[in-house]
């Protein structure tokens, strides 16, 4: 194992900020490493019952019988819930749709009907007075099915592909009409590529399994400790599904052991824990097994067809990109897959098409950089193929076709330092020495290859609120109902609050993960800093204004006739800039106003008018070196350099961790990950960490992360674009392009396992 | 709750007695790294668990014939790092270290390693049929996800592999398994220890249900200078072998006096073919001479949808391993394809 490196230098903020832009360790680090941080399955309440989920062994058919009554006789068992006896929940599909659900699907309802929807779906919940009893009794549950034929094979069902009929917030459908005349341009072009790329189903698989501890209060109110990326989304869902009033349900999720999108929508453990708790009027915990972590969400399998063409001089002239993805029978999972191909490089003639095939599988779900990772894997590989056709260096090809505006929407970018990202990453990597021809570099029995790709992700902002409580001791408590899925939300929000309130960072606490806090959208899509962070910034501005007003009441008027613009707010005090003696501490200001606390909140909305005229995106430029054993096909990724243009970098330390993790995941996608579906039984077979491969330490070598400076006043008040997704986009393409450069073989189906190179 | 009795054996005789009494429904537990997983998956449902981990079978000592005797309860880690194992049986040391993870090797024992069960996905998933787990229920792997399954010696009832790395080196070294039972002690040659699936894939070896492994005997070996374990897998560590090769050469200059080749990841037992090895006797150690050995080893191979590649990969791995062996044990540390450390 070699060292993971990163170079800063450029990314340390040069504006006169106190905290932002400075590498800052996680404020929740000590709690996490000492076990003080509690996760959903660790909240113990008195008289807790334990629910163990029984999963179906078949994909399609009808449940004929379940020996529930028999299992209820087992010592310790309180109840066995099945579709036969589960209390009825809301009738309408609408009531089961959470904030992230497609607009008009029928979300999966556990224990709702005898009809099976997919293999491994929950079919019973055994509730007992100990986990062991529940687990044992669950092993005695016998389910008999009348089987029906199922369809889980995307390729075999391509004939059923259809354009999406549904919509969902954030989904940008492919343009209905082509831009220009892609067919004519393709026919006339000097250089052409036509190829199909496929990728398997991949799973989120966070370390922490989903768990829900529904504490049933004496007053019948529910406090639910839940693993989720959106406490308020879960709270609304539970109220709507179970007909509970919002005052009676509180959802709490202070920590999350990874989400990656799997917890954006309420997972079936919360449905089952609430179902059991309300039916039994007892507190109930339901947690998933590792195997069940393969049973409710995934990145959809995709088969993509690309036709690209360039003119003699290497100008990109035609793009046709069709992506076909699977979804479940009950919902159309929608992610933006092909639009990126009309955006990345200049091209006058573009046709984009996104289609779906309904299969007997669980609904897919957003998974790190959903859509972009898929679409740009295929597109960036095809671009590499085209550049080689044109006998051009793939970086030179991209620079030549650099897009100065978003041609899909005909808008200029709010900022786009991708050119600089190319320059810095290429220099660091040593790209200029790359031979154009594949199979040009060798070391012992290994072939060496260099590949690159670029990526893009939307810089989104949503409505969000933040609340502040400043107390007489000068301490500031900030909060919002967002979550920290491991990305460092606690830390960055603490930094933002300290920066803009002028309270020293040691005196600032940020709280999140409680549905009773002020509004926040789910944490996903890299929009938390931009949405919640902007709200924190704004409310801090309001706090300063209030404190300034109060300061006027302080005896002797130390600030004189200074206006708020004349003041510096820092270390829990305001002073006349350049004259620190003329100051008022926040404590003094509160005392002067006869207040023991100051409480205020605000809701921040995106500045739509400003944003609407611009295209808002982050960008990446990724370079990879692989070595491939020529005889055995084993691949090692020796090094990766990634330069990110992601707006202002608020915390370079956690930012770098985000990008490094994303690069590891990109390597994983390129070389290892595959949900192995047995279409005969309609079931994933490698449902554990031993057989579903993700990289181990020995697979990961040098990784360098560069942040290029990017100034952006449009994207949001912080100028930060969010970094959760962008680091992964393009990595799989860079690695597979490097494999081609090493071997001369284009492997167009992921993962590139060694057998595909023999 | 699943009730099983737990007893701690104070002696080999006591262990054997308890196992005999449990009448097939008892299991010894040593390191527990395989048995406990299988208990959790409801694949193993013993009514008696007999803890043998404290029996005095942990030593690694000189054997009377000049070889080495590995206690059944010596850990995989202690065995791999034992100076005499490293010096005299380097392929064994490297095979062990190519397996699992450091934590697992610290727990896993030599006896348990021999008796670890297949990693066939279907064997682990009790919602589905599997002839090995439930005789007569069927073998979904034949038409299913069989990347981890075998290509040699398979049957219509089971195509699973034995997943051990250690056993591949033991097979090449012609180790012998010492066992003890109510009928006394006996020694089983390694080639006769594991069995092919045939019509009884639930039977994996020739150990009787009331017998215990006490030790593994390594005969004196002339191969230490040219010993290799090459493991090809889907990631650099913590993955079972797609194909692995233990290759041992006894060289006189460039001329091969004798050779041993054993294959892992391809069959229900470590795969050896003495006729193929004999092709090398008296030949020079060159790629041209290694190729026919690879061909011969895989002559009867039969691939399935997701593992056809193992036939070609296996041949190449054999050639690679023999080439590395020819270069000498000392020369090949860290060379790609000779994955020494997991
Ligand atoms: C995630 C994972 C990855 C792994 N990767 C690899 C790998 O890459 N390569 C590899 O070779 N192995 C690998 N292993 C397997 C590991 O090597 C075995 O689990 C281990 O060797 C078993 O030894 P144990 O002492 O823990 O056996 P236990 O689990 O205690 O026992 C296994 C079986 O052997 C029986 N048994 C144990 N000792 C005796 C005895 N003395 N006499 C009679 N019966 C006995 C038990 O009854 C039981 O049936 C992996 C395991 C795991 C969990
Ligand atoms: S190959 Fe053997 S272990 Fe695997 S499913 Fe078939 S019978 Fe079971």
């Amino acid at each position: 194992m070699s060292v993971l490196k990163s170079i800063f230098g450029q990314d340390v903020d040069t504006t006169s900020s106190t905290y932002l832009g400075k590498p800052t360790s996680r404020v929740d680090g000590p709690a996490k490493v000492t076990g003080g941080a509690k996760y959903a399955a660790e909240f113990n309440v008195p008289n807790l019952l334990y629910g163990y989920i029984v999963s179906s062994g078949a994909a399609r058919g009808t449940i004929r019988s379940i020996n529930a009554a028999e299992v209820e006789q087992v010592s310790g068992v309180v109840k066995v819930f099945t579709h036969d006896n589960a209390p009825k929940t809301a009738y309408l599909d609408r009531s089961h749709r959470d904030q992230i659900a497609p607009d008009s699907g029928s979300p999966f309802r556990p224990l709702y009907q005898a009809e099976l929807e997919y293999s491994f779906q929950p079919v019973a919940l055994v509730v007992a007075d100990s986990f062991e009893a529940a687990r044992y009794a669950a092993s005695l549950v016998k389910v008999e099915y009348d089987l029906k034929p199922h369809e889980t094979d995307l390729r075999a069902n391509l004939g059923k592909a259809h354009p999406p009929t549904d919509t969902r917030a954030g989904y940008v459908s492919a343009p209905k009409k082509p831009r220009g005349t892609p067919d004519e341009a393709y026919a006339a072009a000097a250089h052409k590529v036509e190829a199909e790329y496929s990728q398997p189903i991949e799973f989120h698989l966070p370390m922490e399994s989903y768990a829900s501890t529904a504490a049933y209060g004496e007053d019948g109110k529910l406090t639910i400790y839940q693993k989720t990326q959106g406490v308020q989304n879960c709270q609304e869902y539970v109220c709507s599904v179970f007909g509970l009033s919002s005052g009676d349900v509180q959802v709490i999720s202070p920590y999350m052991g990874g989400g990656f999108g799997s917890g954006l929508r309420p997972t079936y453990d919360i449905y089952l824990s609430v179902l059991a708790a309300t039916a039994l009027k007892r507190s109930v915990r339901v947690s998933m097994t590792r195997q069940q972590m393969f049973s409710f969400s995934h990145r959809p399998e995709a088969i993509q067809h690309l036709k690209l063409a360039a003119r003699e001089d290497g100008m990109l002239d035609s793009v046709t990109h069709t992506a076909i993805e699977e979804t479940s029978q009950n919902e159309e999972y929608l992610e933006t897959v092909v639009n990126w191909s009309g955006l990345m490089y200049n091209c006058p003639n573009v046709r984009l098409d996104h289609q779906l095939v309904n299969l007997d599988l669980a609904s897919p779900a957003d998974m790190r950089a959903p859509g972009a990772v898929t679409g740009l894997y295929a597109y960036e590989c095809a671009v590499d193929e085209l550049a080689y056709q044109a006998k051009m260096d793939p970086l030179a090809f991209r620079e030549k076709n650099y897009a100065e505006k978003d041609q899909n929407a005909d808008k200029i970018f709010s900022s786009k330092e991708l050119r600089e990202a190319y320059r810095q990453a290429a220099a660091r990597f040593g790209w200029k020495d790359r031979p154009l021809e594949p199979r040009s570099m060798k070391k012992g029995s290994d072939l060496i290859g260099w590949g690159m790709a670029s990526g893009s992700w939307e810089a989104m902002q949503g409505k969000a609120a933040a609340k502040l409580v400043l107390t007489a001791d000068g301490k500031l408590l900030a909060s919002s109902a967002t979550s920290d899925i491991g990305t460092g939300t606690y830390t960055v929000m603490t930094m933002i609050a300290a920066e803009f309130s002028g309270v020293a960072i040691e005196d600032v606490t940020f709280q999140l993960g409680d549905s009773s806090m002020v509004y926040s959208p789910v944490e996903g899509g890299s929009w938390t800093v931009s949405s919640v962070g902007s709200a924190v910034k704004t409310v801090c501005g309001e706090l300063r204004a209030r404190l300034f007003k109060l300061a006027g009441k302080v005896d002797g008027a130390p600030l004189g006739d200074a206006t708020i613009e004349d003041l510096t707010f820092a270390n829990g005090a305001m002073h006349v800039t350049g004259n620190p003696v003329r100051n008022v501490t926040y404590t003094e200001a509160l005392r002067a106003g006869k207040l023991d606390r100051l409480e205020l909140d605000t809701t921040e909305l995106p500045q739509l008018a400003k944003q609407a005229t611009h295209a808002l995106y982050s960008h990446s430029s990724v370079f990879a070196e692989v070595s491939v054993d020529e005889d055995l096909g084993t691949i090692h990724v020796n090094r990766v350099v990634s330069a990110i243009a992601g707006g202002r970098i608020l915390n370079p330390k956690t930012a770098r961790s985000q990008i490094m993790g994303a690069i590891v995941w990109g390597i994983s996608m390129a070389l290892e990950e595959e949900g192995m579906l047995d279409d005969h039984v309609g079931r994933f077979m490698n449902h554990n960490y031993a057989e579903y491969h993700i990289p181990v330490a020995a697979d990961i070598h040098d990784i360098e992360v560069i942040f290029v400076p990017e100034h952006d006043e449009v994207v949001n008040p912080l100028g930060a674009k969010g970094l959760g997704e962008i680091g992964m986009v393009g990595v799989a393409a860079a690695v597979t392009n490097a494999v081609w450069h090493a071997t001369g073989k284009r492997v167009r189906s992921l993962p590139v396992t060694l057998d595909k190179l023999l | 709750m699943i009730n099983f009795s737990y007893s701690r054996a104070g002696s080999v005789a006591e262990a054997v007695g308890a196992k005999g009494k449990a009448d097939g429904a008892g299991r010894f537990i040593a390191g527990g790294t395989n048995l406990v997983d299988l208990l959790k998956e409801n694949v193993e449902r013993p009514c008696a668990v007999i803890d043998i981990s404290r029996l005095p079978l942990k030593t690694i000592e000189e054997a009377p014939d000049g070889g080495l005797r590995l206690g059944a309860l010596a850990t995989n880690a202690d065995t791999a790092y034992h100076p005499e194992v490293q010096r005299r049986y380097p392929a064994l040391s490297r095979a062990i270290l190519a397996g699992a993870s450091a934590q697992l090797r610290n727990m896993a024992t030599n006896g348990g390693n021999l008796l670890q069960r297949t990693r066939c996905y279907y064997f682990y998933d009790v919602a589905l049929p599997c002839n090995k787990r439930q005789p007569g229920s069927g073998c979904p792997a034949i038409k299913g996800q069989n990347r981890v399954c075998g290509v040699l010696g398979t049957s219509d009832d089971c195509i699973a592999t034995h997943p051990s790395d250690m056993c591949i080196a033991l097979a090449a070294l012609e180790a012998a398994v010492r066992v003890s039972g109510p009928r006394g002690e006996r020694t089983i040659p390694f080639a006769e220890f594991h069995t092919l699936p045939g019509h009884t894939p639930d039977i994996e070896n020739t150990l009787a249900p009331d017998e215990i492994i006490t030790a593994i005997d390594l005969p004196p070996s002339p191969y230490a200078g040219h010993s290799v374990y090459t493991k090809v897998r889907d990631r650099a560590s913590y993955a079972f072998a797609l194909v692995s090769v233990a290759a041992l050469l006894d060289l006189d200059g460039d001329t091969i006096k004798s050779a041993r080749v054993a294959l892992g990841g391809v069959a229900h037992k470590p795969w050896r073919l003495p006729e193929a090895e004999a092709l090398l006797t008296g030949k020079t150690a060159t790629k041209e001479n290694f190729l026919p050995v690879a061909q011969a080893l895989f002559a009867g191979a039969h691939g399935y949808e997701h593992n056809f590649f193992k036939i070609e990969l296996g041949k190449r791995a054999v050639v690679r391993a023999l080439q590395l062996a020819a270069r000498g044990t000392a020369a090949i540390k860290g060379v790609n394809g000779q994955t020494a450390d997991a």
Side-chain angles (χ1 to χ4, degrees):
Chain A
M1 248 278 290
S2 355
V3 203
L4 301 170
K5 289 179 256 172
S6 165
I7 45 169
F8 294 119
Q10 351 40 346
D11 57 60
V12 173
D13 211 304
T14 48
T15 58
S16 62
S17 58
T18 312
Y19 303 111
L20 297 184
K22 311 269 156 70
T24 305
S25 294
R26 287 168 192 270
V27 296
D28 51 336
K32 282 191 171 161
V33 298
T34 56
K38 264 197 185 183
Y39 294 80
E42 297 176 328
F43 285 89
N44 287 324
V45 293
N47 300 318
L48 185 63
L49 295 175
Y50 298 81
Y52 197 91
I53 304 160
V54 180
S55 306
S56 89
R60 198 87 208 170
T62 314
I63 299 173
R64 198 185 327 128
S65 70
I66 303 185
N67 61 341
E70 193 183 312
V71 175
E72 280 181 353
Q73 303 310 309
V74 174
S75 147
V77 174
V78 174
K79 182 81 190 169
V80 178
F81 291 101
T82 70
H83 67 283
D84 262 338
N85 64 4
K88 290 281 163 276
T89 53
Y91 175 71
L92 294 174
D93 280 330
R94 172 157 40 92
S95 310
H96 292 256
R97 281 181 211 128
D98 65 284
Q99 294 170 7
I100 306 300
D103 290 347
S104 57
S106 308
F108 175 71
R109 306 178 188 190
L111 315 190
Y112 174 69
Q113 56 181 16
E115 199 69 25
L116 291 181
E117 292 176 58
Y118 62 92
S119 186
F120 241 109
Q121 72 166 65
V123 289
L125 180 75
V126 179
V127 182
D129 55 19
S130 73
F131 173 75
E132 291 75 13
R135 178 181 144 89
Y136 167 59
S139 77
L140 303 178
V141 171
K142 295 224 164 19
V143 188
E144 292 188 48
Y145 308 98
D146 289 318
L147 294 182
K148 290 187 193 138
H150 58 261
E151 294 294 344
T152 54
D153 185 344
L154 176 60
R155 193 168 287 281
N157 286 281
L158 286 178
K160 296 181 190 156
H162 59 83
T165 57
D166 208 346
T167 52
R168 140 173 116 125
Y171 172 67
V172 189
S173 57
K176 295 262 172 316
K177 284 200 199 117
R179 174 156 94 222
T181 51
D183 293 335
E184 286 83 340
Y186 186 85
H191 311 293
K192 303 177 193 195
V193 164
E194 179 168 7
E196 183 194 279
Y197 298 85
S198 65
Q199 69 188 56
I201 281 172
E202 296 161 6
F203 289 95
H204 303 75
L205 293 191
M207 286 281 264
E208 183 200 7
S209 297
Y210 277 87
S212 180
T213 305
Y216 192 85
E218 278 170 22
D219 48 5
K221 293 188 178 182
L222 286 175
T223 308
I224 308 166
Y225 302 96
Q226 176 66 31
K227 170 167 178 158
T228 176
Q229 293 177 243
V231 280
Q232 290 175 334
N233 190 26
C234 278
Q235 194 249 14
E236 281 174 21
Y237 170 80
V238 165
C239 291
S240 152
V241 167
F242 292 91
L244 301 170
S245 68
S246 66
D248 291 346
V249 179
Q250 187 180 5
V251 178
I252 295 176
S253 181
Y255 296 101
M256 201 186 188
F260 316 120
S262 61
L264 290 170
R265 300 186 64 182
T267 39
Y268 62 66
D269 50 317
I270 193 170
Y271 187 108
L272 293 171
S273 74
V274 173
L275 182 143
T278 49
L280 301 171
K281 303 200 182 324
R282 295 274 306 268
S283 297
V284 179
R285 172 180 303 149
V286 175
S287 41
M288 290 193 198
T289 61
R290 178 61 60 201
Q291 290 78 352
Q292 285 162 347
M293 293 293 285
F294 291 75
S295 71
F296 62 96
S297 69
H298 57 265
R299 192 193 294 284
E301 181 177 355
I303 296 176
Q304 305 187 66
H305 190 259
L306 280 117
K307 275 172 81 174
L308 305 188
R311 298 196 322 231
E312 187 61 51
D313 59 357
M315 292 303 288
L316 185 63
D317 204 31
S318 176
V319 172
T320 299
H321 184 173
T322 304
I324 302 179
E325 295 189 300
E326 45 82 20
T327 185
S328 61
Q329 300 288 2
N330 52 309
E331 283 177 317
E332 288 191 346
Y333 166 71
L334 298 169
E335 57 181 20
T336 308
V337 183
V338 290
N339 302 45
W340 313 96
S341 302
L343 166 88
M344 287 302 289
Y345 309 106
N346 259 340
C347 185
N349 305 298
V350 177
R351 180 189 295 109
L352 305 172
D353 188 15
H354 179 216
Q355 302 207 24
L356 298 174
V357 173
N358 298 85
L359 295 177
D360 298 317
L361 295 170
S363 290
D366 291 333
M367 185 163 131
R368 208 164 194 181
V373 149
T374 299
L376 286 178
Y377 150 65
Y379 186 63
E380 287 292 304
C381 287
V383 166
D384 198 71
E385 298 200 32
L386 185 62
Y388 183 66
Q389 289 289 320
K391 290 283 174 246
M392 279 177 76
D393 174 85
L395 174 58
F397 183 87
R398 284 171 172 84
E399 286 173 324
K400 183 166 184 132
N401 290 289
Y402 195 83
E404 296 289 359
K405 70 175 191 183
D406 169 3
Q407 289 183 298
N408 284 346
D410 196 23
K411 289 178 188 172
I412 52 163
F413 292 101
S414 62
S415 59
K416 180 181 173 182
E417 295 297 339
L418 178 59
R419 205 174 255 129
E420 182 61 14
Y422 284 146
R423 198 189 61 75
Q424 289 195 22
R428 189 78 199 161
F429 187 86
W431 184 258
K432 66 174 176 15
D433 299 325
R434 177 183 183 271
L436 188 65
E437 293 302 319
R439 299 183 70 87
S440 305
M441 299 190 286
K442 262 196 130 174
K443 196 176 166 200
S445 61
D446 282 350
L447 301 166
I448 308 290
W450 290 359
M452 60 89 53
S454 37
S456 183
W457 183 252
E458 278 174 287
M460 294 180 276
Q461 184 189 0
K463 175 183 148 184
K467 178 176 173 178
L468 297 180
V469 180
L470 178 71
T471 42
D473 54 2
K475 305 249 190 250
L476 183 70
L477 180 68
S479 63
S480 179
T482 181
S483 54
D484 188 336
I485 57 179
T487 46
T489 310
Y490 276 114
T491 311
V492 76
M493 295 302 162
T494 305
M495 292 166 71
I496 296 169
E499 184 72 43
F500 295 108
S501 67
V503 176
I505 198 162
E506 307 76 49
D507 291 331
V508 177
T509 304
F510 186 80
Q511 290 183 334
L512 51 71
D514 183 334
S515 61
S516 65
M517 292 172 175
V518 295
Y519 174 78
S520 166
V522 294
E523 169 149 313
S526 296
W527 70 352
T528 298
V529 161
S530 113
S531 309
V532 180
S534 295
V536 172
K537 179 180 178 184
T538 301
V539 75
C540 286
E542 292 170 10
L543 175 75
R544 288 197 313 263
R546 290 277 293 278
L547 288 167
F548 173 64
K549 258 203 179 144
L550 293 173
K553 299 183 183 169
V554 173
D555 283 349
L559 302 178
D561 56 2
T563 64
I564 193 163
E565 285 76 29
D566 300 331
L567 300 184
T568 299
F569 294 78
N571 290 317
M574 60 202 112
H575 66 261
V576 177
T577 306
N579 194 351
V581 200
R582 290 179 55 197
N583 71 72
V584 172
T585 67
Y586 292 178
T587 307
E588 285 166 350
L590 285 183
R591 203 183 306 132
K594 301 193 169 37
L595 295 172
D596 62 354
R597 61 204 272 128
L598 202 51
E599 224 178 281
L600 61 173
D601 62 79
T602 201
T603 299
E604 176 82 5
L605 296 164
Q607 301 159 346
L608 289 176
K610 203 161 151 194
Q611 293 179 357
T613 52
H614 290 82
L616 317 174
Y617 290 93
S618 51
H619 292 89
S620 68
S621 145
V622 197
F623 294 77
E625 176 185 301
V626 301
S627 57
V628 182
D629 186 307
E630 192 174 3
D631 297 325
L632 305 180
T634 42
I635 303 168
H636 291 268
V637 180
N638 301 332
R639 57 197 181 100
V640 175
V641 178
S642 173
I644 302 291
R648 186 177 184 194
I649 305 304
L650 301 181
N651 185 354
K653 190 168 185 177
T654 47
R656 172 176 165 270
S657 301
Q658 275 300 302
I659 303 303
M660 271 193 325
I663 290 168
V664 171
W665 203 339
I667 294 171
S668 185
M669 175 183 178
L671 304 181
E672 301 194 15
E673 281 187 63
E674 179 171 15
M676 294 186 177
L677 188 54
D678 179 336
D679 293 313
H680 299 283
V681 290
R683 187 177 176 87
F684 293 101
M685 292 314 305
N686 54 342
H687 42 59
N688 59 64
Y689 269 139
E691 303 298 347
Y692 183 91
H693 282 187
I694 56 172
V696 294
D699 291 319
I700 302 302
H701 302 277
D702 283 9
I703 294 179
E704 287 192 29
V705 179
I706 299 167
F707 293 110
V708 299
E710 198 173 60
H711 185 76
D712 196 321
E713 293 187 359
V714 175
V715 69
N716 57 52
L718 290 165
K721 288 181 174 174
L723 296 168
E725 339 279 315
I726 184 63
M728 187 169 170
V729 189
V731 178
V735 171
T736 49
N737 290 340
V739 170
W740 168 78
H741 190 241
T743 63
K745 279 197 187 125
R746 292 280 183 193
V747 177
R748 298 189 185 89
S749 72
L750 295 184
V752 185
T753 45
L754 57 89
D755 47 303
K756 296 175 184 170
L757 289 172
L758 292 180
Chain B
M1 222 93 56
I2 305 179
N3 287 319
F4 56 81
S5 69
Y6 169 86
S7 61
R8 190 179 288 158
S11 66
V12 168
E14 218 176 285
V16 167
K19 186 87 187 306
K21 224 167 74 196
D23 199 19
R27 290 287 180 276
F28 293 133
I29 185 162
T33 60
N34 191 219
L35 184 68
V36 174
D37 278 4
L38 293 169
L39 289 172
K40 289 190 201 161
E41 301 269 6
N42 289 322
V43 175
E44 292 271 22
R45 283 281 190 89
C47 68
V49 172
I50 304 145
D51 187 349
I52 56 171
S53 64
R54 292 166 207 226
L55 293 183
L57 301 172
K58 294 183 184 164
T59 50
I60 294 175
E61 59 197 13
E62 295 296 331
D65 64 351
L68 209 58
R69 177 164 296 170
L70 312 173
L73 289 165
T75 66
N76 283 180
D78 285 346
T79 307
Y81 293 119
H82 194 281
E84 288 306 306
V85 175
Q86 287 180 318
R87 191 173 68 80
R88 285 145 70 180
Y89 308 99
L92 175 61
S93 174
R94 289 175 179 190
I96 295 173
L97 295 179
S101 66
Q103 295 90 330
L104 283 160
R105 296 192 298 264
N106 285 339
M107 288 299 291
T109 65
N110 293 336
N113 195 308
L114 265 53
L115 294 175
Q116 64 173 297
R117 310 210 57 193
T118 186
R119 309 305 288 204
C120 173
Y121 305 157
Y122 300 86
F123 177 69
Y124 266 79
D125 189 338
V126 295
L128 299 178
C130 164
N131 284 330
K132 185 183 278 298
R133 180 168 28 79
Q134 214 182 329
S137 61
C139 173
I142 289 178
K143 287 189 168 167
Q145 287 293 350
N146 43 36
R147 185 175 180 84
V148 296
C149 293
V151 293
L152 286 163
T154 54
S155 77
D156 291 344
D157 291 326
C158 180
I159 61 171
T161 61
H162 191 277
S164 170
D165 290 301
M166 178 184 190
C167 290
I168 309 311
L170 291 175
L173 290 164
E174 293 191 345
V177 185
R178 294 177 68 84
V179 309
S180 176
R183 295 162 301 281
E185 303 205 344
R186 64 181 180 123
T187 301
I188 308 172
F190 212 79
E192 290 164 25
F193 186 78
H194 296 102
T195 54
L196 289 178
H199 294 307
T200 54
D202 52 317
I203 298 171
E204 296 170 348
N205 51 63
T206 51
L207 189 74
D210 53 4
E211 284 179 321
I212 188 172
I213 300 174
T214 55
I216 299 158
D217 279 353
L218 297 171
S221 158
Y223 302 109
H226 297 275
S227 289
V228 160
Y229 186 71
T230 293
K231 178 174 178 178
V232 189
R233 48 184 149 178
D234 276 326
R235 62 182 168 195
S237 173
Y238 199 54
F240 292 92
L242 291 167
V243 168
S244 69
V245 185
L248 314 178
L249 293 175
D250 183 10
L251 291 180
D252 182 3
D254 253 1
T255 309
I256 299 167
K257 289 205 282 185
S258 77
R260 300 266 181 82
V261 181
L263 305 177
V266 291
H268 204 252
K269 60 183 290 189
W271 194 261
R272 267 190 73 198
L273 205 61
E275 307 90 274
E277 292 165 2
L279 295 174
L280 286 174
T281 311
K283 298 270 174 57
T284 50
T286 60
K287 187 171 180 180
E288 294 65 46
N289 289 331
F290 297 150
L291 276 167
V293 181
Q295 297 290 355
L297 274 161
F298 284 91
H302 178 82
Y304 299 84
E305 185 182 351
H306 299 286
N307 75 2
F308 270 109
F309 72 91
K310 283 189 175 183
I311 300 172
E312 177 60 25
L313 178 68
K315 291 178 192 168
R316 294 186 188 191
V318 166
V319 172
R320 169 67 60 83
L322 285 167
Q323 284 177 310
L324 290 170
R327 283 169 57 188
T329 309
I332 53 183
K333 263 203 172 129
V335 175
N336 199 6
Q338 164 63 34
T339 24
D341 221 319

